[in-house]
């Protein structure tokens, strides 16, 4: 029985297709997280499945970097006049207004995008060399310095699983399990925030 369980587990691992993640930092790869107060805005995404989970993931992992200096925008709204919606891309005027209304130093915006879910969850190898499908998602993060009204960091992660036909005759045609684009979005968010943690100049308490 144990041997059968082991074989099934091995089959699952070998037949599971996981995304390849690529990272882009347009600016602000190395940040100092040791000073000031940081607001985490409500995340935005086009995922009907994991929209709320994207925010939970961002909060959890930025909390590991910032500790009690990370503030949630909904908590601030309880006793401050803050607009019901804050845009992902902000003008200098909007940043300065947020500085006045929140009395905070930085704002973190997180946005997820499901690009495609064409490969599905379970796929059977195709002998058609022209066949191509993918599950793909991306996550973007913008971090603003509200005191100076400038964007200090812009980053993105892209996660993609590819299911492609083969030129060779595949008689076994063993099904494989592919990570969904929605899950790739959450994992990508975690991985991108971990990049911020790894590259931070100073951490809280260090």
């Amino acid at each position: 029985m144990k041997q059968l369980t082991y074989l099934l587990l091995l089959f699952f691992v070998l037949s599971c297709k996981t995304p390849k993640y690529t990272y882009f930092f347009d600016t602000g790869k190395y940040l100092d997280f040791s000073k000031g107060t940081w607001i985490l805005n409500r995340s935005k995404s086009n995922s009907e499945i994991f929209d709320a989970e994207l925010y939970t993931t961002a909060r959890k992992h930025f909390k590991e970097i910032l500790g009690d200096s990370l503030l949630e925008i909904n908590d601030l709204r309880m006793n401050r006049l803050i607009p019901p919606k804050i845009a992902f891309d902000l003008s200098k005027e909007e940043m300065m207004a947020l500085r006045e209304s929140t009395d905070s130093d930085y704002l973190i915006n997180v946005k997820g995008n499901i690009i495609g879910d064409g490969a599905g969850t379970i796929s059977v190898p195709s002998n058609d060399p022209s066949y191509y499908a993918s599950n793909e998602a991306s996550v973007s993060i913008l971090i603003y310095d509200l005191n100076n009204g400038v964007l200090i960091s812009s980053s993105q992660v892209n996660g993609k699983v590819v299911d492609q036909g083969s030129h060779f005759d595949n008689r076994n045609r063993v099904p494989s399990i592919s990570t969904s684009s929605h899950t790739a979005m959450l994992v990508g968010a975690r991985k991108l925030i971990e990049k911020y943690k790894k590259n931070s100049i100073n951490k809280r308490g260090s």
Side-chain angles (χ1 to χ4, degrees), residues 7-139:
L7 289 174
L8 289 173
L9 180 62
L10 181 63
F11 168 78
F12 175 78
V13 172
L14 292 177
S15 63
C16 185
K17 294 182 180 179
T18 56
K20 177 182 178 182
Y21 293 94
T22 52
Y23 306 89
F24 309 92
F25 278 85
D26 293 329
T27 186
K29 185 175 182 179
Y30 305 97
L31 295 181
D32 183 354
F33 290 102
S34 64
K35 300 175 182 178
T37 52
W38 303 66
I39 304 170
L40 179 62
N41 191 16
R42 293 298 304 181
S43 60
K44 310 175 192 302
S45 84
N46 61 345
S47 171
E48 297 179 358
I49 301 175
F50 288 142
D51 189 38
E53 283 79 356
L54 177 61
Y55 177 76
T56 301
T57 299
R59 180 183 61 194
K60 175 183 177 181
H61 293 286
F62 270 117
K63 193 79 172 177
E64 292 177 0
I65 303 174
L66 292 161
D68 293 338
S69 294
L70 182 68
L71 308 176
E72 296 185 57
I73 192 69
N74 284 350
D75 291 341
L76 291 174
R77 285 197 175 101
M78 294 176 66
N79 51 25
R80 296 176 184 271
L81 293 175
I82 301 172
K85 290 185 179 180
I86 299 173
F88 186 71
D89 296 289
L90 295 175
S91 66
K92 182 174 182 178
E93 291 73 21
E94 289 171 322
M95 288 183 242
M96 302 304 285
L98 275 174
R99 168 60 186 168
E100 291 297 319
S101 61
T102 64
D103 195 28
S104 297
D105 303 296
Y106 303 95
L107 176 74
I108 302 171
N109 274 349
V110 180
K111 181 170 69 174
N113 182 31
I114 303 301
I115 300 171
D117 217 12
T121 303
I122 300 177
S123 60
V124 178
S126 172
N127 292 325
D128 179 2
S130 65
Y131 174 75
Y132 178 93
S134 66
N135 295 339
E136 186 176 2
S138 67
V139 174

Side-chain angles (χ1 to χ4, degrees), residues 151-164:
L151 174 70
I152 60 172
S153 182
S154 173
S155 65
Q156 185 180 83
V157 59
N158 183 274
K160 188 175 185 178
V161 176
V162 172
D163 184 20
Q164 194 163 11

